[in-house]
PDB file of all heavy atoms in Angstrom:
ATOM      1  N   MET A 365     -37.487  14.609   3.559  1.00 92.00           N
ATOM      2  CA  MET A 365     -37.840  13.488   2.681  1.00 92.00           C
ATOM      3  C   MET A 365     -37.153  13.621   1.294  1.00 92.00           C
ATOM      4  O   MET A 365     -36.762  12.652   0.680  1.00 92.00           O
ATOM      5  CB  MET A 365     -39.375  13.424   2.484  1.00 92.00           C
ATOM      6  CG  MET A 365     -39.808  12.209   1.814  1.00 92.00           C
ATOM      7  SD  MET A 365     -39.523  10.694   2.741  1.00 92.00           S
ATOM      8  CE  MET A 365     -38.959   9.599   1.506  1.00 92.00           C
ATOM      9  N   LEU A 366     -37.087  14.882   0.834  1.00 92.00           N
ATOM     10  CA  LEU A 366     -36.355  15.088  -0.465  1.00 92.00           C
ATOM     11  C   LEU A 366     -34.914  14.742  -0.347  1.00 92.00           C
ATOM     12  O   LEU A 366     -34.321  14.164  -1.286  1.00 92.00           O
ATOM     13  CB  LEU A 366     -36.589  16.536  -0.895  1.00 92.00           C
ATOM     14  CG  LEU A 366     -37.965  16.950  -1.423  1.00 92.00           C
ATOM     15  CD1 LEU A 366     -38.033  18.420  -1.778  1.00 92.00           C
ATOM     16  CD2 LEU A 366     -38.442  16.049  -2.588  1.00 92.00           C
ATOM     17  N   PHE A 367     -34.323  15.130   0.806  1.00 91.00           N
ATOM     18  CA  PHE A 367     -32.864  14.731   0.914  1.00 91.00           C
ATOM     19  C   PHE A 367     -32.771  13.219   0.942  1.00 91.00           C
ATOM     20  O   PHE A 367     -31.683  12.708   0.503  1.00 91.00           O
ATOM     21  CB  PHE A 367     -32.360  15.394   2.252  1.00 91.00           C
ATOM     22  CG  PHE A 367     -32.194  16.825   2.225  1.00 91.00           C
ATOM     23  CD1 PHE A 367     -32.684  17.592   3.308  1.00 91.00           C
ATOM     24  CD2 PHE A 367     -31.498  17.490   1.164  1.00 91.00           C
ATOM     25  CE1 PHE A 367     -32.582  18.986   3.259  1.00 91.00           C
ATOM     26  CE2 PHE A 367     -31.343  18.829   1.141  1.00 91.00           C
ATOM     27  CZ  PHE A 367     -31.941  19.579   2.191  1.00 91.00           C
ATOM     28  N   MET A 368     -33.644  12.542   1.584  1.00 89.00           N
ATOM     29  CA  MET A 368     -33.577  11.089   1.609  1.00 89.00           C
ATOM     30  C   MET A 368     -33.725  10.447   0.230  1.00 89.00           C
ATOM     31  O   MET A 368     -33.041   9.526  -0.152  1.00 89.00           O
ATOM     32  CB  MET A 368     -34.680  10.560   2.525  1.00 89.00           C
ATOM     33  CG  MET A 368     -34.529  10.976   4.027  1.00 89.00           C
ATOM     34  SD  MET A 368     -32.970  10.578   4.689  1.00 89.00           S
ATOM     35  CE  MET A 368     -33.063   8.776   4.823  1.00 89.00           C
ATOM     36  N   LEU A 369     -34.573  11.051  -0.572  1.00 87.00           N
ATOM     37  CA  LEU A 369     -34.808  10.577  -1.943  1.00 87.00           C
ATOM     38  C   LEU A 369     -33.630  10.833  -2.764  1.00 87.00           C
ATOM     39  O   LEU A 369     -33.146  10.028  -3.606  1.00 87.00           O
ATOM     40  CB  LEU A 369     -36.045  11.177  -2.539  1.00 87.00           C
ATOM     41  CG  LEU A 369     -37.406  10.602  -2.109  1.00 87.00           C
ATOM     42  CD1 LEU A 369     -38.518  11.472  -2.668  1.00 87.00           C
ATOM     43  CD2 LEU A 369     -37.517   9.173  -2.569  1.00 87.00           C
ATOM     44  N   PHE A 370     -33.159  12.097  -2.753  1.00 86.00           N
ATOM     45  CA  PHE A 370     -32.070  12.605  -3.722  1.00 86.00           C
ATOM     46  C   PHE A 370     -30.726  12.126  -3.308  1.00 86.00           C
ATOM     47  O   PHE A 370     -29.868  11.934  -4.095  1.00 86.00           O
ATOM     48  CB  PHE A 370     -32.065  14.138  -3.774  1.00 86.00           C
ATOM     49  CG  PHE A 370     -33.331  14.691  -4.325  1.00 86.00           C
ATOM     50  CD1 PHE A 370     -33.611  16.022  -4.173  1.00 86.00           C
ATOM     51  CD2 PHE A 370     -34.266  13.978  -4.925  1.00 86.00           C
ATOM     52  CE1 PHE A 370     -34.789  16.642  -4.675  1.00 86.00           C
ATOM     53  CE2 PHE A 370     -35.444  14.560  -5.507  1.00 86.00           C
ATOM     54  CZ  PHE A 370     -35.661  15.879  -5.292  1.00 86.00           C
ATOM     55  N   GLY A 371     -30.483  11.885  -1.971  1.00 81.00           N
ATOM     56  CA  GLY A 371     -29.108  11.600  -1.506  1.00 81.00           C
ATOM     57  C   GLY A 371     -28.863  10.297  -0.967  1.00 81.00           C
ATOM     58  O   GLY A 371     -27.684  10.017  -0.530  1.00 81.00           O
ATOM     59  N   CYS A 372     -29.889   9.398  -0.884  1.00 73.00           N
ATOM     60  CA  CYS A 372     -29.608   8.118  -0.228  1.00 73.00           C
ATOM     61  C   CYS A 372     -30.277   6.958  -0.873  1.00 73.00           C
ATOM     62  O   CYS A 372     -30.939   6.166  -0.276  1.00 73.00           O
ATOM     63  CB  CYS A 372     -30.030   8.187   1.283  1.00 73.00           C
ATOM     64  SG  CYS A 372     -29.247   6.928   2.274  1.00 73.00           S
ATOM     65  N   HIS A 373     -30.069   6.857  -2.247  1.00 66.00           N
ATOM     66  CA  HIS A 373     -30.616   5.700  -2.886  1.00 66.00           C
ATOM     67  C   HIS A 373     -29.782   4.429  -2.555  1.00 66.00           C
ATOM     68  O   HIS A 373     -30.285   3.315  -2.506  1.00 66.00           O
ATOM     69  CB  HIS A 373     -30.654   5.903  -4.371  1.00 66.00           C
ATOM     70  CG  HIS A 373     -31.672   5.002  -5.123  1.00 66.00           C
ATOM     71  ND1 HIS A 373     -33.021   5.184  -5.047  1.00 66.00           N
ATOM     72  CD2 HIS A 373     -31.410   3.937  -5.930  1.00 66.00           C
ATOM     73  CE1 HIS A 373     -33.611   4.241  -5.773  1.00 66.00           C
ATOM     74  NE2 HIS A 373     -32.607   3.498  -6.308  1.00 66.00           N
ATOM     75  N   HIS A 374     -28.488   4.617  -2.459  1.00 67.00           N
ATOM     76  CA  HIS A 374     -27.538   3.651  -1.962  1.00 67.00           C
ATOM     77  C   HIS A 374     -27.551   3.743  -0.455  1.00 67.00           C
ATOM     78  O   HIS A 374     -26.742   4.542   0.085  1.00 67.00           O
ATOM     79  CB  HIS A 374     -26.182   3.837  -2.515  1.00 67.00           C
ATOM     80  CG  HIS A 374     -25.983   3.201  -3.912  1.00 67.00           C
ATOM     81  ND1 HIS A 374     -24.840   3.262  -4.582  1.00 67.00           N
ATOM     82  CD2 HIS A 374     -26.796   2.444  -4.643  1.00 67.00           C
ATOM     83  CE1 HIS A 374     -24.952   2.661  -5.732  1.00 67.00           C
ATOM     84  NE2 HIS A 374     -26.176   2.109  -5.814  1.00 67.00           N
ATOM     85  N   VAL A 375     -28.361   2.965   0.203  1.00 68.00           N
ATOM     86  CA  VAL A 375     -28.504   3.098   1.614  1.00 68.00           C
ATOM     87  C   VAL A 375     -27.225   2.958   2.376  1.00 68.00           C
ATOM     88  O   VAL A 375     -26.979   3.702   3.338  1.00 68.00           O
ATOM     89  CB  VAL A 375     -29.526   2.099   2.145  1.00 68.00           C
ATOM     90  CG1 VAL A 375     -29.657   2.094   3.709  1.00 68.00           C
ATOM     91  CG2 VAL A 375     -30.944   2.376   1.608  1.00 68.00           C
ATOM     92  N   ILE A 376     -26.437   2.009   2.017  1.00 67.00           N
ATOM     93  CA  ILE A 376     -25.162   1.757   2.741  1.00 67.00           C
ATOM     94  C   ILE A 376     -24.155   2.858   2.623  1.00 67.00           C
ATOM     95  O   ILE A 376     -23.143   2.925   3.410  1.00 67.00           O
ATOM     96  CB  ILE A 376     -24.486   0.435   2.317  1.00 67.00           C
ATOM     97  CG1 ILE A 376     -24.149   0.484   0.776  1.00 67.00           C
ATOM     98  CG2 ILE A 376     -25.429  -0.759   2.623  1.00 67.00           C
ATOM     99  CD1 ILE A 376     -23.371  -0.814   0.393  1.00 67.00           C
ATOM    100  N   MET A 377     -24.310   3.766   1.699  1.00 64.00           N
ATOM    101  CA  MET A 377     -23.385   4.923   1.556  1.00 64.00           C
ATOM    102  C   MET A 377     -23.581   5.957   2.706  1.00 64.00           C
ATOM    103  O   MET A 377     -22.740   6.753   2.945  1.00 64.00           O
ATOM    104  CB  MET A 377     -23.627   5.610   0.192  1.00 64.00           C
ATOM    105  CG  MET A 377     -23.217   4.762  -1.018  1.00 64.00           C
ATOM    106  SD  MET A 377     -21.398   4.506  -1.028  1.00 64.00           S
ATOM    107  CE  MET A 377     -21.211   3.768  -2.660  1.00 64.00           C
ATOM    108  N   TYR A 378     -24.785   5.999   3.228  1.00 66.00           N
ATOM    109  CA  TYR A 378     -25.086   6.988   4.381  1.00 66.00           C
ATOM    110  C   TYR A 378     -24.919   8.417   3.931  1.00 66.00           C
ATOM    111  O   TYR A 378     -24.585   9.270   4.682  1.00 66.00           O
ATOM    112  CB  TYR A 378     -24.215   6.684   5.565  1.00 66.00           C
ATOM    113  CG  TYR A 378     -24.648   5.455   6.346  1.00 66.00           C
ATOM    114  CD1 TYR A 378     -24.229   4.238   5.992  1.00 66.00           C
ATOM    115  CD2 TYR A 378     -25.523   5.621   7.427  1.00 66.00           C
ATOM    116  CE1 TYR A 378     -24.670   3.160   6.754  1.00 66.00           C
ATOM    117  CE2 TYR A 378     -26.001   4.560   8.201  1.00 66.00           C
ATOM    118  CZ  TYR A 378     -25.493   3.292   7.811  1.00 66.00           C
ATOM    119  OH  TYR A 378     -25.972   2.168   8.574  1.00 66.00           O
ATOM    120  N   ASN A 379     -25.110   8.710   2.619  1.00 66.00           N
ATOM    121  CA  ASN A 379     -24.989  10.071   2.163  1.00 66.00           C
ATOM    122  C   ASN A 379     -26.020  10.986   2.855  1.00 66.00           C
ATOM    123  O   ASN A 379     -25.776  12.186   3.104  1.00 66.00           O
ATOM    124  CB  ASN A 379     -25.264  10.121   0.644  1.00 66.00           C
ATOM    125  CG  ASN A 379     -24.315   9.333  -0.150  1.00 66.00           C
ATOM    126  OD1 ASN A 379     -23.295   9.054   0.240  1.00 66.00           O
ATOM    127  ND2 ASN A 379     -24.773   8.967  -1.375  1.00 66.00           N
ATOM    128  N   HIS A 380     -27.148  10.410   3.219  1.00 70.00           N
ATOM    129  CA  HIS A 380     -28.292  11.177   3.872  1.00 70.00           C
ATOM    130  C   HIS A 380     -27.780  11.932   5.121  1.00 70.00           C
ATOM    131  O   HIS A 380     -28.257  12.980   5.402  1.00 70.00           O
ATOM    132  CB  HIS A 380     -29.433  10.258   4.232  1.00 70.00           C
ATOM    133  CG  HIS A 380     -29.164   9.349   5.368  1.00 70.00           C
ATOM    134  ND1 HIS A 380     -28.297   8.232   5.234  1.00 70.00           N
ATOM    135  CD2 HIS A 380     -29.426   9.437   6.695  1.00 70.00           C
ATOM    136  CE1 HIS A 380     -28.200   7.650   6.484  1.00 70.00           C
ATOM    137  NE2 HIS A 380     -28.843   8.306   7.289  1.00 70.00           N
ATOM    138  N   SER A 381     -26.893  11.215   5.817  1.00 78.00           N
ATOM    139  CA  SER A 381     -26.457  11.816   7.109  1.00 78.00           C
ATOM    140  C   SER A 381     -25.789  13.124   6.893  1.00 78.00           C
ATOM    141  O   SER A 381     -26.023  14.105   7.696  1.00 78.00           O
ATOM    142  CB  SER A 381     -25.481  10.888   7.838  1.00 78.00           C
ATOM    143  OG  SER A 381     -24.370  10.605   7.106  1.00 78.00           O
ATOM    144  N   THR A 382     -25.024  13.324   5.855  1.00 84.00           N
ATOM    145  CA  THR A 382     -24.360  14.526   5.582  1.00 84.00           C
ATOM    146  C   THR A 382     -25.458  15.694   5.163  1.00 84.00           C
ATOM    147  O   THR A 382     -25.369  16.824   5.659  1.00 84.00           O
ATOM    148  CB  THR A 382     -23.377  14.419   4.462  1.00 84.00           C
ATOM    149  OG1 THR A 382     -22.404  13.503   4.849  1.00 84.00           O
ATOM    150  CG2 THR A 382     -22.721  15.821   4.122  1.00 84.00           C
ATOM    151  N   LEU A 383     -26.354  15.311   4.334  1.00 89.00           N
ATOM    152  CA  LEU A 383     -27.326  16.277   3.834  1.00 89.00           C
ATOM    153  C   LEU A 383     -28.336  16.653   4.968  1.00 89.00           C
ATOM    154  O   LEU A 383     -28.545  17.903   5.072  1.00 89.00           O
ATOM    155  CB  LEU A 383     -28.098  15.634   2.637  1.00 89.00           C
ATOM    156  CG  LEU A 383     -27.235  15.189   1.496  1.00 89.00           C
ATOM    157  CD1 LEU A 383     -28.104  14.595   0.391  1.00 89.00           C
ATOM    158  CD2 LEU A 383     -26.342  16.272   0.985  1.00 89.00           C
ATOM    159  N   VAL A 384     -28.788  15.657   5.687  1.00 90.00           N
ATOM    160  CA  VAL A 384     -29.721  16.052   6.724  1.00 90.00           C
ATOM    161  C   VAL A 384     -29.009  16.841   7.860  1.00 90.00           C
ATOM    162  O   VAL A 384     -29.554  17.795   8.419  1.00 90.00           O
ATOM    163  CB  VAL A 384     -30.405  14.779   7.331  1.00 90.00           C
ATOM    164  CG1 VAL A 384     -31.392  15.120   8.479  1.00 90.00           C
ATOM    165  CG2 VAL A 384     -31.176  14.070   6.220  1.00 90.00           C
TER     166      VAL A 384
END
Side-chain angles (χ1 to χ4, degrees):
M365 191 64 223
L366 288 180
F367 290 131
M368 298 303 293
L369 282 173
F370 297 164
C372 199
H373 201 72
H374 275 178
V375 172
I376 60 173
M377 292 292 189
Y378 285 86
N379 300 338
H380 71 284
S381 60
T382 300
L383 304 181
V384 177

